Amino acid sequence: MLDRFGRPVKSIRVSVTERCNLACFYCHREGEWHIHREEMSPEEIERILKIARELDIRKVKFTGGEPLVREDFVDIVARAAKYMDKDISLTTNGTLLKNFAEDLKKVGVRRVNVSLDTLDRRKYERITGRDSLNDVIDGVYAAMNAGMIPVKLNVVVLRGINDDELENMIYFSADTGAILQLIELEVPLERENSEFFKKYHVDLSDFERYISKMAEKVEYNELHRRKRYSLKINDKRATVEFVRSMHNTSFCMNCTRIRLTSDGKLKPCLLRNDNLVDLLTPLRKGASDDELKKLFKQAILLREPYWR
Ligand code: SAM
């Protein structure tokens, strides 16, 4: 289905919990700023994905909070696999991934993004509040060994914290075979002039230019139409992508995703909370598939490019 701007909606990003075992100081919490403890059951998530599939949405990315803190997460993925036949992925902080990678792959997870902002143990603790760097690195290797392809490393670049580590991260990408995704800090428009944003935001355009000159090959990531740079490092290969969404009109125009909050509301945009459409309350009150589909369509029609 197309939104009012002619953009097809092809994927859904489902937050399964707002609970997290880390406390990254910069986290946007997937735009869920209202505190709630309500979570959808695996059956409820399955029902919503079944409706999504009827609207030809066939890709899901699970997120949170931290999806792997949910004990029933493998069950949630197994249920999703009945409807999301084009792609199932998740974004995780990786701290628990080692224990789940094999099972997740078996039930249908194709690929994974692991958040890894630094390779320095003390910095990792400073950013996340926990000394878990080694667990995350084990998780990255476990995902590779389980055959999740690609494994992407999400690195939010933060001024004065990890902006001196980008080269190291490129070497790590070459060593592991994971794709490096360098992400600019993102905030809603009203926080752009905040001290926080000014202090930590790094504009990655110069670094992207530098990498583009060194790259042996440039491809396009078909999902987001971003450039993907391939660099030769000794006899290995590192792959680097940049996510620069602030004021990026083409980022928004190419957005084909709708979100579902962990308390069951459709969310047309990460950076907005004024146009949510509650699915879970009607679902719990016995709404029919047709009624839920109508609400889904309503949310799709509320989608607007944030940056334009
Ligand atoms: N706990 C999971 C994880 O760590 O991947 C899923 C939730 S986390 C919010 C999803 C991704 O959003 C992470 O890769 C994180 O680094 C990124 N992220 C969080 N806050 C951000 C911000 N303000 N700007 C850009 N990316 C951010």
Side-chain angles (χ1 to χ4, degrees):
M1 178 175 164
L2 300 183
D3 66 17
R4 290 179 294 124
F5 297 81
R7 300 174 302 174
V9 177
K10 296 182 183 165
S11 68
I12 184 163
R13 185 168 174 112
V14 177
S15 172
V16 292
T17 181
E18 63 161 7
R19 291 176 289 135
C20 190
N21 55 351
L22 299 183
C24 304
F25 74 87
Y26 62 82
C27 186
H28 55 33
R29 301 168 52 99
E30 300 285 350
E32 285 193 48
W33 291 109
H34 56 296
I35 304 293
H36 59 81
R37 283 274 158 235
E38 198 68 72
E39 285 177 5
M40 297 170 284
S41 68
E43 292 79 6
E44 288 166 341
I45 294 172
E46 178 179 352
R47 174 108 187 269
I48 292 172
L49 293 179
K50 175 174 167 273
I51 305 287
R53 171 60 195 256
E54 286 171 23
L55 292 166
D56 209 27
I57 295 170
R58 295 164 68 178
K59 297 180 189 178
V60 63
K61 171 157 254 157
F62 290 106
T63 183
E66 172 49 39
L68 294 178
V69 302
R70 269 194 76 151
E71 284 171 6
D72 51 7
F73 186 63
V74 174
D75 181 30
I76 291 172
V77 173
R79 290 166 183 273
K82 296 185 204 165
Y83 305 102
M84 299 289 115
D85 61 338
K86 280 210 166 159
D87 194 19
I88 300 181
S89 63
L90 77 145
T91 172
T92 170
N93 61 34
T95 54
L96 303 169
L97 187 55
K98 182 175 55 177
N99 307 330
F100 290 103
E102 287 283 346
D103 288 347
L104 289 172
K105 176 70 182 153
K106 269 186 209 142
V107 293
V109 171
R110 208 161 64 89
R111 58 197 183 90
V112 67
N113 289 48
V114 181
S115 304
L116 180 59
D117 296 325
T118 174
L119 295 170
D120 178 303
R121 209 170 136 187
R122 286 174 64 190
K123 278 193 204 171
Y124 187 88
E125 188 170 5
R126 180 172 163 210
I127 295 170
T128 67
R130 255 185 66 174
D131 178 11
S132 299
L133 177 65
N134 291 338
D135 293 333
V136 181
I137 292 175
D138 288 349
V140 169
Y141 283 107
M144 306 283 304
N145 291 337
M148 293 185 189
I149 297 174
V151 174
K152 282 195 183 183
L153 305 175
N154 283 9
V155 180
V156 178
V157 182
L158 302 159
R159 181 185 310 286
I161 297 197
N162 62 356
D163 53 346
D164 58 343
E165 275 192 78
L166 304 188
E167 216 166 287
N168 267 358
M169 298 298 297
I170 291 175
Y171 279 100
F172 187 68
S173 156
D175 276 345
T176 53
I179 294 177
L180 190 63
Q181 189 155 254
L182 299 177
I183 304 173
E184 282 185 7
L185 185 66
E186 185 178 26
V187 292
L189 202 48
E190 64 272 16
R191 288 195 70 203
E192 202 178 6
N193 289 318
S194 65
E195 287 311 312
F196 164 80
F197 188 72
K198 285 187 210 154
K199 182 169 177 190
Y200 293 113
H201 177 258
V202 179
D203 180 338
L204 288 173
S205 44
D206 284 347
F207 192 64
E208 181 165 1
R209 255 191 301 279
Y210 168 69
I211 291 296
S212 72
K213 285 186 190 134
M214 289 183 29
E216 229 190 17
K217 204 166 61 172
V218 184
E219 290 169 330
Y220 278 86
N221 162 336
E222 54 185 59
L223 202 61
H224 304 283
R225 307 213 196 139
R226 279 181 210 132
K227 285 181 180 162
R228 175 180 284 169
Y229 303 96
S230 184
L231 308 168
K232 202 156 177 250
I233 311 271
N234 303 325
D235 56 340
K236 293 184 176 154
R237 186 167 294 286
T239 310
V240 187
E241 289 181 11
F242 290 81
V243 182
R244 299 169 44 214
S245 50
M246 291 293 287
H247 293 282
N248 188 335
T249 51
S250 82
F251 182 89
C252 287
M253 274 322 287
N254 286 315
C255 173
T256 55
R257 163 190 285 175
I258 192 148
R259 295 166 173 266
L260 182 67
T261 64
S262 54
D263 60 344
K265 296 185 172 73
L266 285 169
K267 189 174 190 318
C269 177
L270 164 71
L271 296 175
R272 281 179 63 175
N273 271 312
D274 58 349
N275 58 358
L276 307 186
V277 175
D278 187 6
L279 274 188
L280 189 61
T281 309
L283 186 154
R284 287 186 177 170
K285 286 187 175 155
S288 67
D289 282 3
D290 277 348
E291 284 163 332
L292 294 177
K293 209 195 271 183
K294 223 184 238 173
L295 290 170
F296 228 112
K297 287 182 177 169
Q298 187 185 319
I300 290 176
L301 292 175
L302 287 170
R303 272 168 42 92
E304 289 177 356
Y306 189 82
W307 305 110
R308 51 179 153 140

